[in-house]
Amino acid sequence: MITVPKRRNESVKSAIRMVTFPLRNHLWMFRYMRALHLSPAIYQHLYFFGSFDVNVTESAKFRIQHFGHYVENELFWAGYGAGRFEPMSMTVWATLCQEANFIADVGANTGVYALAAASVNPSARVVAVEPVRRIYDKLVKNLALNRFSIESFMVAASESDGEATLFDLESEHNYSSSLDQKMVAGLTYTKTTVRAARLDTLFDEIRLRNIDLIKVDVERHEPSVLRGMSQRLQRDRPTVLIEILDSDVRCAVADIIDGLDYRLFLIDELKGLRSCANLRIHSEPSSRGSRNYLICAPINLQKIMQYVYD
């Protein structure tokens, strides 16, 4: 789940949007304002429509459509690996992608992590998985803006093959649809039947020989995704960037990876990676952070040690 910061001053928001709304289709004006280095308190209200480049490194970039939502807004105003949208997670991801041959973005949403992977390593085989039709359509549009050979699949990764019920929030775009009903408790939602597949099955179908690196962000359904790729976890030992929202998910993930010789790190989005000896022990970032963890294969330890602070 992506946590969208609350906009506390509604009068300020209304005033800013009243002024900028007529300009929302004039991207050049927003580029000019970006050069002014506006604070998040201001730019969080400045949404526009159009596509723009995201620089991942000095030599790697991708293009993305601004659909009027939080993630692309942060990427436009603050840049990749900065701002309020998972800066450390994205930085570590880009580093790990550089030498990975087979990469998967599960719960891809509009494709930011998949696009970053392909931009820093065009020779890698990159797969993006997203089950929500209207969000998948945006993912496809973003892929079309670039010349990368990313493969996309509208399927819900799970621990069994067939069909599953997706609990979908009734909004034009959201970051919290899930196969886990607890994710939408107390909210207005609809039920949709979607195709479900084990990643072991999907990867066999597309002849993805092995997996080196995977991001899993599926709103409390992460343990099921890992169970559905048990063969590749055992055989390939991929490094996993995973969202863990609560202790139930944390303990379930710990049970799955026990004995697989992984090093565990909590990702503090402001400070870096903090070693986590026992995933079952509740551990929160000391500063504002996501709920992302890195389950790191020994082969990748040297690549990420520059980000470890404890």
Side-chain angles (χ1 to χ4, degrees):
M1 178 179 66
I2 296 169
T3 302
V4 180
K6 294 181 179 179
R7 296 161 185 156
R8 297 177 179 176
N9 194 325
E10 291 298 319
S11 61
V12 171
K13 180 182 74 172
S14 299
I16 293 173
R17 291 202 166 182
M18 184 180 299
V19 172
T20 60
F21 183 79
L23 305 173
R24 68 194 185 281
N25 291 315
H26 298 283
L27 181 55
W28 65 270
M29 179 64 73
F30 288 87
R31 287 186 176 132
Y32 172 79
M33 288 190 286
R34 183 171 59 181
L36 301 177
H37 302 290
L38 302 174
S39 74
I42 300 298
Y43 75 62
Q44 67 174 325
H45 307 301
L46 298 177
Y47 285 62
F48 62 89
F49 299 103
S51 61
F52 61 95
D53 290 335
V54 178
N55 294 314
V56 181
T57 67
E58 291 184 359
S59 59
K61 66 181 179 180
F62 62 86
R63 195 160 187 82
I64 192 170
Q65 180 74 25
H66 198 318
F67 294 103
H69 305 301
Y70 167 70
V71 170
E72 55 261 35
N73 209 55
E74 283 294 314
L75 290 172
F76 177 80
W77 293 105
Y80 186 94
R84 300 172 299 170
F85 173 60
E86 303 186 355
M88 183 53 59
S89 293
M90 289 197 297
T91 298
V92 171
W93 176 257
T95 297
L96 291 170
C97 286
Q98 291 174 14
E99 297 181 22
N101 294 314
F102 301 96
I103 304 168
D105 181 2
V106 179
N109 206 268
T110 57
V112 171
Y113 276 85
L115 289 165
S119 71
V120 300
N121 189 353
S123 65
R125 187 174 180 186
V126 181
V127 172
V129 176
E130 171 56 47
V132 182
R133 163 64 73 178
R134 66 187 181 283
I135 298 176
Y136 178 82
D137 290 343
K138 295 176 183 178
L139 165 66
V140 171
K141 288 180 181 179
N142 279 335
L143 299 187
L145 292 175
N146 299 271
R147 296 183 178 180
F148 308 133
S149 55
I150 298 173
E151 301 165 65
S152 62
F153 300 92
M154 194 177 71
V155 59
S158 193
E159 60 187 295
S160 59
D161 301 317
E163 293 183 337
T165 299
L166 176 76
F167 300 94
D168 189 10
L169 297 182
E170 294 184 339
S171 58
E172 188 274 329
H173 191 90
N174 72 78
Y175 304 105
S176 300
S177 295
S178 177
L179 297 189
D180 189 323
Q181 191 171 5
K182 290 182 181 179
M183 197 65 212
V184 296
L187 302 174
T188 301
Y189 63 87
T190 58
K191 295 180 181 180
T192 305
T193 300
V194 296
R195 179 198 170 193
R198 301 170 68 249
L199 288 181
D200 280 334
T201 302
L202 177 64
F203 293 164
D204 284 345
E205 288 178 356
I206 64 175
R207 298 184 180 181
L208 185 66
R209 292 179 299 171
N210 55 1
I211 185 73
D212 300 316
L213 179 64
I214 183 169
K215 185 218 84 180
V216 184
D217 181 354
V218 290
E219 315 311 321
R220 299 193 81 258
H221 202 63
E222 288 80 8
S224 292
V225 172
L226 296 184
R227 294 187 194 103
M229 59 176 292
S230 58
Q231 294 176 14
R232 281 169 172 78
L233 280 179
Q234 293 282 344
R235 186 191 69 195
D236 302 338
R237 299 291 200 277
T239 290
V240 184
L241 196 161
I242 188 169
E243 181 184 63
I244 295 178
L245 290 177
D246 58 38
S247 59
D248 290 342
V249 175
R250 186 181 298 109
C251 291
V253 170
D255 290 341
I256 294 165
I257 64 173
D258 265 357
L260 295 183
D261 193 29
Y262 276 116
R263 285 285 303 276
L264 308 175
F265 297 91
L266 182 148
I267 303 178
D268 184 312
E269 298 294 353
L270 292 183
K271 298 176 66 175
L273 305 181
R274 190 172 78 198
S275 183
C276 179
N278 188 341
L279 195 59
R280 295 180 181 84
I281 298 175
H282 186 67
S283 183
E284 294 294 342
S286 57
S287 57
R288 176 188 56 80
S290 73
R291 297 295 184 266
N292 289 345
Y293 287 73
L294 188 69
I295 303 173
C296 188
I299 194 173
N300 283 324
L301 280 176
Q302 284 301 117
K303 301 170 188 174
I304 55 95
M305 290 307 294
Q306 61 184 303
Y307 306 115
V308 176
Y309 71 93
D310 185 12

